[in-house]
DNA sequence: TCCGTCGTCC
DNA sequence: GGACGACGGA
């Protein structure tokens, strides 16, 4: 039997919202340590890795390891029915082919329970090498979302150039070209507004902005996003999930064209 | 001549919004007692009955009984032009084939008048038996709306089970199955948030959720909805219209399939 | 509150 | 297959 209870069910809903555009169905790996998920998007371009540690749940019980094939599309629909401050319990009974999501309103007067059929998915476990990145940019996730949205208006690709003083996002296309530069924050009024750069080596990498915009669906999970980069290595775009884990998105850089 | 004046014209607009999806045109019966309307939806599945008593109007005059065939679609369009706090006057002159809607702004500085052609409709007067229901559930109309919308995501039908302690709405379909249970309120902080159940006999009835969602278009009329049910009897779903009348929707339960 | 997408009806 | 209306998201 598997049962995990989260007082703030909305966190889980945000996780699903953060994943579902990139990955419509995926296999969840449940063990005593927590829940993990790894998947590539349907065109096998981007990769996502989710970790939710068991100690982040209010209660957590996992008698044996389980692989659960789940439609994130359906799960998202069910989670939309959750009240704003509901407590969420996720349960899989032994020998059941369904996952049960229970939601309790804070005043205990409302109780909803939804059952989703589990799916048989070919689960590709993906080895993600631990990389020592040349550069890690930390910035407000809302700012990153806005920049990616804006760059998408200009073109399909965004080039991220990072030096020790700042980071520049640039795009060009039919409408024109443009770039936005953020300097590393000096006075950190609010931690969450800070832009900080850890840099061993300057980088300049180009990415398909469409995928970055999908990654940004996870932005409501965290005030800050971490962008870790090295030349010729996939970008890692990380959002923390409270203090219980993270979502990490990976995207290989485009090979630079002659004209860039 | 017929003339009825309503200081709060928005109430009348809400009545029309509450009806127009189910019934696009209908015959209004005007008499000295007030206005009534009865109609079935186009597929003859659901029935609606409207009562607006004459004493609920600011002024009311009806020299002789009249049957007015009206396009609710057109009337809705006209009422959308009404200002938020306008006073509405409905008038039918003798020997006229039109109904005139006059709207005055509160400051008397704006005055609009629209004329709608009356229609010749075969008016079926429907006998609605007075039923002594086994169970009456009273709940916030917003909550009922949300539940019906959610249940529609899961499937075409919703099963309502009511016992003396609470009421449960359930649905099943492709995405999965689910249910939501409301307990009878114990401490009534706000009257309008209360869930209360008068029960002589427990009921479990299944309805086409599509129609319930149409009924919910009338929810803005009232904070509370009354669901009156008996086995093998049409549901009555009632919204009060201020203290001047009500809209009552009727819907026959589905015959239970073997699998339920 | 307005715009875009999806579903239903003609 | 096209048009209209409803619903959900930005």
């Amino acid at each position: 039997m598997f049962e995990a209870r989260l007082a703030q069910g909305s966190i889980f809903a945000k996780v699903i919202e953060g994943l579902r555009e990139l990955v419509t169905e995926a296999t969840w790996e449940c063990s005593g340590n927590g829940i993990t998920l790894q998947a590539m998007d349907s065109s096998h371009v981007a990769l996502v890795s989710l970790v939710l540690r068991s100690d982040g749940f209010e209660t957590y019980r996992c008698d044996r390891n389980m692989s659960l094939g789940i439609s994130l599309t359906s799960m998202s629909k069910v989670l939309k029915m959750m009240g704003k401050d509901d407590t969420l319990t996720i349960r899989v009974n032994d020998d059941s082919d369904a996952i049960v999501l229970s939601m309790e309103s804070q005043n205990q007067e409302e109780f909803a329970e939804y059952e989703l059929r589990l799916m048989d998915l070919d689960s590709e476990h993906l080895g993600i090498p631990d990389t020592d990145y040349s550069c890690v940019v930390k910035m407000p996730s809302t700012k990153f979302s806005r920049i990616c949205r804006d760059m998408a208006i200009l073109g399909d690709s965004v080039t991220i150039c990072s030096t020790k003083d700042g980071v520049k996002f640039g795009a060009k296309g039919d409408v024109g070209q443009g770039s936005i530069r953020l300097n590393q924050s000096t006075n950190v009024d609010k931690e969450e507004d800070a832009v900080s750069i850890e840099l061993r080596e300057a980088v300049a990498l180009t990415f398909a902005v469409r995928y970055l915009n999908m990654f940004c669906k996870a932005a409501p999970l965290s005030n800050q996003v971490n962008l870790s980069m090295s030349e010729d290595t996939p970008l890692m775009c990380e959002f923390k999930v409270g203090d219980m884990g993270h979502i990490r998105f990976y995207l290989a850089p485009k090979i630079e064209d002659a004209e860039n």
Side-chain angles (χ1 to χ4, degrees), chain A:
Chain A
M1 195 228 204
F2 173 82
E3 188 173 279
R5 182 180 167 91
L6 203 51
Q8 233 187 109
S10 60
I11 291 182
F12 192 78
K14 286 179 189 169
V15 167
I16 301 301
E17 287 308 295
L19 297 174
R20 76 177 174 88
E21 190 177 355
L22 195 72
V23 179
T24 58
E25 43 194 44
T27 303
W28 298 66
E29 303 292 345
C30 305
S31 75
N33 297 324
I35 301 173
T36 65
L37 175 159
Q38 292 192 0
M40 302 197 76
D41 77 292
S42 63
S43 41
H44 282 236
V45 169
L47 190 151
V48 62
S49 162
L50 168 72
V51 172
L52 300 174
R53 285 184 297 275
S54 55
D55 56 29
F57 291 88
E58 198 182 343
T59 67
Y60 188 94
R61 172 180 162 188
C62 182
D63 297 344
R64 57 178 182 78
N65 292 0
M66 290 185 177
S67 294
L68 308 175
I70 295 177
S71 159
L72 301 190
T73 309
S74 298
M75 192 177 246
S76 159
K77 286 177 183 165
V78 166
L79 289 167
K80 291 252 171 67
M81 304 177 194
M82 187 166 58
K84 197 177 172 309
D85 297 308
D86 284 8
T87 293
L88 175 70
T89 304
I90 302 165
R91 192 174 67 245
V92 180
N93 292 316
D94 288 330
D95 305 317
S96 165
D97 68 338
I99 182 169
V100 179
L101 302 176
S102 308
M103 304 159 193
E104 285 166 65
S105 69
Q106 233 171 0
N107 63 11
Q108 304 259 337
E109 277 176 6
E110 214 170 314
F111 184 85
E113 195 168 271
Y114 302 96
E115 200 174 305
L116 291 172
R117 183 75 45 87
L118 293 172
M119 310 171 78
D120 235 332
L121 303 175
D122 355 314
S123 82
E124 20 164 17
H125 193 86
L126 310 152
I128 300 172
D130 238 347
T131 307
D132 192 12
Y133 292 97
S134 306
C135 171
V136 180
V137 175
K138 196 179 269 233
M139 70 164 92
S141 55
T142 50
K143 193 165 286 193
F144 181 58
S145 296
R146 206 204 69 217
I147 290 172
C148 291
R149 197 194 55 209
D150 290 350
M151 293 292 123
I153 293 169
L154 294 177
D156 298 335
S157 301
V158 61
T159 299
I160 308 180
C161 301
S162 187
T163 63
K164 70 183 192 333
D165 302 323
V167 57
K168 191 176 86 174
F169 299 83
K172 60 179 71 172
D174 299 337
V175 250
Q177 59 175 287
S179 67
I180 182 164
R181 183 189 165 78
L182 304 179
N183 290 327
Q184 176 151 215
S185 309
T186 44
N187 51 351
V188 243
D189 313 355
K190 279 181 275 178
E191 176 95 29
E192 62 192 51
D193 292 337
V195 175
S196 75
I197 296 167
E198 274 172 45
L199 184 132
R200 209 181 51 229
E201 201 174 342
V203 295
L205 295 165
T206 300
F207 301 99
V209 68
R210 175 161 175 267
Y211 287 94
L212 299 184
N213 271 313
M214 291 191 214
F215 302 169
C216 288
K217 295 295 159 65
L221 280 166
S222 173
N223 291 323
Q224 292 266 131
V225 59
N226 284 9
L227 303 174
S228 303
M229 294 170 282
S230 296
E231 291 295 334
D232 303 322
T233 302
L235 161 77
M236 177 177 88
C237 170
E238 179 186 58
F239 299 91
K240 302 283 189 205
V241 179
D243 51 2
M244 70 190 297
H246 58 250
I247 296 188
R248 290 178 178 164
F249 297 100
Y250 296 86
L251 179 64
K254 287 191 173 185
I255 306 304
E256 300 285 322
D257 301 324
E259 81 241 49
N260 296 327

